[in-house]
Amino acid sequence: MYDTKMTTSFPIIDMSKAYTERKKLAKKVVHGLENEGFLFIDNVANLDYDKLLHACKWFFNKPIEFKRTVMRKFWNPENSNIYRGYFPVTEEEPCRKEGFKFARDVKDVDVTAAEYNRFYEKSPWPKEDGEFPFKEVLQETYEILHSTALEILKLVAIGLDIEENIFEDMFSDKPCSTLRIMHYPPWEGKPPKNAIVEDGKVVVFPEHIDKNFMTLLTRFDYGGLEFKTKDGSWAEVDPRPKSLVMNIGDIFSRMMDGRLKARTHRVIDIGTDRYAVPFFFTPRYDADIGVNFMDPEHRVEQYGPWVIDVIKNREK
């Protein structure tokens, strides 16, 4: 189906060596983010890929009436959840995907977690039938990926020759990180014109750069993920079973004044159902994400107001 060169050139970061070969691994992480902008993350402790795929199929194989119970208010006015929960496939759009999104609920009530702040909205959960522990598996996965992302950040800091825990405070209390389970059904019939790209390829998720801090993506054994190379051409990310794909978003890149690269990527229709689980590692609402973060005199800029401005400008 693809007229795209395959690539296995991304650096492979073996997390089982995070303490035995710490400095070596740290330099490898930074070199990869300065160049390719993507990494393979191997040997994440306790991450159960089979259970995670089962969770995806358990939920997405349910009838739409079941999914409506956790559907966002935009699609189901009877529900109160706006930001988290289920979103359906939107017809005639180049994004052919449905998903369920949740986060770690905030226990402490303070000004940053006020009722009007959608970044701390309570996550809705579907009623389970005893067949599969859906909520338990996803919440366990969230915490595993959160810990993994923190450890990768420490490696980044070591590789940059700065204090190892310099980024930790941004995520230790009330992070805005979310986890999504995603289903990309194949196009049925002729796709809309805005989904057809060069050489007749068809996207199910158009090209974009992540706006968050860091993404850890579980792809299982599915292909379809492509990234834009330095010369502007597209290359498919080679499937790597039992491994995560890691990339950084706009926030981290701009904080590092562009030294670390946030790369453009997209998802191509593979002609069959595709499942993926992205973990969007995102700082707390009031965390400082100012440009050139390492400069003590940089202008402080809070994450929440910044991303709200980005969303408003995108909607204009």
Side-chain angles (χ1 to χ4, degrees), residues 176-194:
C176 293
S177 306
T178 59
L179 188 145
R180 296 183 188 183
I181 57 171
M182 304 294 300
H183 172 221
Y184 300 86
W187 286 103
E188 297 174 356
K190 188 175 181 179
K193 291 182 179 179
N194 56 2

Side-chain angles (χ1 to χ4, degrees), residues 31-213:
H31 184 267
L33 296 181
E34 288 176 331
N35 293 277
E36 294 89 352
F38 284 83
L39 304 170
F40 285 125
I41 308 296
D42 283 9
N43 294 321
V44 174
N46 302 315
L47 183 58
D48 192 324
Y49 293 93
D50 294 333
K51 278 188 178 180
L52 198 49
L53 181 58
H54 191 163
C56 292
K57 293 182 177 181
W58 179 88
F59 181 82
F60 292 120
N61 286 339
K62 297 292 186 183
I64 190 63
E65 291 77 18
F66 176 87
K67 299 172 187 174
R68 279 183 61 83
T69 64
V70 290
M71 189 178 280
R72 293 179 186 174
K73 187 178 181 66
F74 181 85
W75 290 280
N76 184 0
E78 296 179 0
N79 293 340
S80 60
N81 51 300
I82 297 172
Y83 183 54
R84 294 172 182 166
Y86 171 72
F87 56 90
V89 173
T90 304
E91 298 300 331
E92 300 304 317
E93 292 289 335
C95 282
R96 186 164 176 78
K97 60 180 181 177
E98 59 176 337
F100 175 79
K101 174 181 179 178
F102 77 97
R104 180 195 292 169
D105 285 341
V106 174
K107 296 179 181 179
D108 300 327
V109 178
D110 60 28
V111 67
T112 64
E115 185 177 352
Y116 61 82
N117 189 335
R118 67 176 183 171
F119 293 95
Y120 291 124
E121 179 181 86
K122 295 292 184 182
S123 299
W125 291 96
K127 185 177 180 180
E128 296 182 23
D129 53 12
E131 175 191 341
F132 181 76
F134 180 74
K135 181 178 179 180
E136 178 184 329
V137 168
L138 291 192
Q139 287 184 327
E140 286 179 354
T141 300
Y142 181 104
E143 296 304 330
I144 290 168
L145 294 177
H146 174 83
S147 298
T148 301
L150 279 177
E151 191 58 44
I152 293 171
L153 266 190
K154 291 179 182 180
L155 293 173
V156 172
I158 294 170
L160 292 172
D161 295 319
I162 57 179
E163 202 278 315
E164 180 175 330
N165 298 307
I166 192 169
F167 302 112
E168 188 169 7
D169 179 64
M170 300 172 63
F171 302 91
S172 59
D173 180 41
K174 297 187 292 295
C176 293
S177 306
T178 59
L179 188 145
R180 296 183 188 183
I181 57 171
M182 304 294 300
H183 172 221
Y184 300 86
W187 286 103
E188 297 174 356
K190 188 175 181 179
K193 291 182 179 179
N194 56 2
I196 302 173
V197 291
E198 73 281 350
D199 299 326
K201 290 182 182 179
V202 180
V203 297
V204 289
F205 195 1
E207 64 177 88
H208 64 285
I209 295 176
D210 290 351
K211 295 298 180 184
N212 60 308
F213 193 92

Side-chain angles (χ1 to χ4, degrees), residues 254-265:
R254 67 196 293 273
M255 285 176 65
M256 295 295 102
D257 205 25
R259 177 176 175 179
L260 306 183
K261 310 302 181 186
R263 297 292 187 191
T264 301
H265 51 286

